[in-house]
């Protein structure tokens, strides 16, 4: 995937580094050299320049970008103009960090595919993790669906996925397992897999079903 990240403050920098680390072709851009320098050795291309300038975008070749992330800090007018340019240049997906709801509404009207409120979204995820002791992380997939990473509770340790039958009992699908000390993920293909205490289960389901499961185990 070819990804462009505009604005390399804390949020943009982390997005650029995470995407590059996952093997994607990343173009990272900021007006300040000191923000561009830390990612230069990690991304495919790091550019110092003004992304709000349309001729600059055209020279960079936006027609080949699969997704663009706009994170221009407090520069609301800049993010609005850049979003307009990116949609007109036919970037496939445009994701924009918004300052507030009104800003987000304008961005949506301009064609942004996703409006990002990092602090708000992180607060919601943290609240879920604090509420459910076994939950390691949660990624909302919509208004009522989520992908979660959960530590294996003592009550189901030593049982096979077939015996647990979480899909039938709770409507939850176990997609993968991972080592808590590693980023490596193993897709779950064998229902005879025995669930161990040191595993992290990657599960998908309706939010209400996931919460029901958390409460009952």
């Amino acid at each position: 995937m070819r990804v462009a990240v505009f604005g390399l403050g804390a949020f943009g920098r982390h997005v650029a580094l995470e995407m590059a680390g996952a093997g994607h072709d990343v173009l990272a851009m900021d007006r300040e050299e000191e923000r561009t320098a830390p990612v230069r050795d990690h991304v495919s291309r790091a550019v110092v320049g003004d992304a709000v300038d349309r001729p600059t975008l055209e020279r960079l070749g936006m027609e080949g970008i699969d997704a663009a992330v706009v994170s221009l800090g407090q520069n609301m007018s800049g993010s609005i103009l850049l979003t307009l340019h990116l949609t007109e240049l036919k970037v496939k997906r445009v994701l924009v960090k918004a300052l507030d709801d009104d800003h987000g509404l304008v961005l949506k009207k301009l064609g942004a595919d996703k409006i990002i409120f990092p602090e708000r979204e992180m607060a919601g995820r943290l609240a879920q993790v604090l509420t459910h002791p076994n939950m390691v992380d949660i990624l909302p997939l919509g208004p009522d669906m989520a992908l979660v990473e959960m530590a294996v509770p003592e009550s189901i340790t030593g049982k096979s996925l077939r015996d647990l039958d979480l899909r039938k009992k709770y409507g939850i699908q176990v997609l993968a397992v991972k080592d808590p000390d590693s980023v490596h993920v193993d897709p779950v293909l064998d229902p005879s897999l025995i669930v161990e205490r040191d595993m992290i289960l990657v599960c998908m389901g309706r939010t209400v079903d996931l919460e029901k499961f958390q409460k009952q185990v």
Side-chain angles (χ1 to χ4, degrees), residues 134 150-161 163-166 169-170 174 193-197 199 201 203 213-214 216-217:
N134 291 317
M150 63 176 70
V152 174
E154 189 67 38
S155 60
I156 67 172
T157 299
K159 298 179 181 179
S160 71
L161 291 176
D163 292 337
L164 291 173
D165 202 5
L166 299 182
K169 293 178 181 177
Y170 297 98
V174 179
L193 176 74
I194 301 299
V195 175
E196 303 293 349
R197 190 71 179 94
M199 287 180 177
L201 300 181
C203 307
F213 173 67
Q214 287 280 328
Q216 294 191 4
V217 298

Side-chain angles (χ1 to χ4, degrees), residues 28-100:
M29 185 174 186
D30 196 281
R31 290 191 297 182
E32 304 295 333
E33 168 64 28
E34 56 267 31
R35 290 187 171 185
T36 308
V39 306
R40 191 177 301 281
D41 294 335
H42 304 280
V43 301
S44 304
R45 187 163 43 149
V47 178
V48 178
D50 185 3
V52 178
D53 180 59
R54 179 156 179 157
T56 298
L57 292 176
E58 293 173 346
R59 286 195 298 271
L60 291 172
M62 290 299 101
E63 67 278 355
I65 298 296
D66 297 300
V69 178
V70 177
S71 177
L72 301 187
Q74 298 299 309
N75 187 358
M76 183 182 294
S77 61
S79 70
I80 290 172
L81 187 55
L82 177 52
T83 299
L84 176 61
H85 291 333
L86 293 172
T87 55
E88 289 182 343
L89 291 170
K90 308 299 181 185
V91 172
K92 295 176 183 177
R93 294 187 66 206
V94 180
L95 303 87
V96 191
K97 180 182 175 183
L99 298 177
D100 54 38

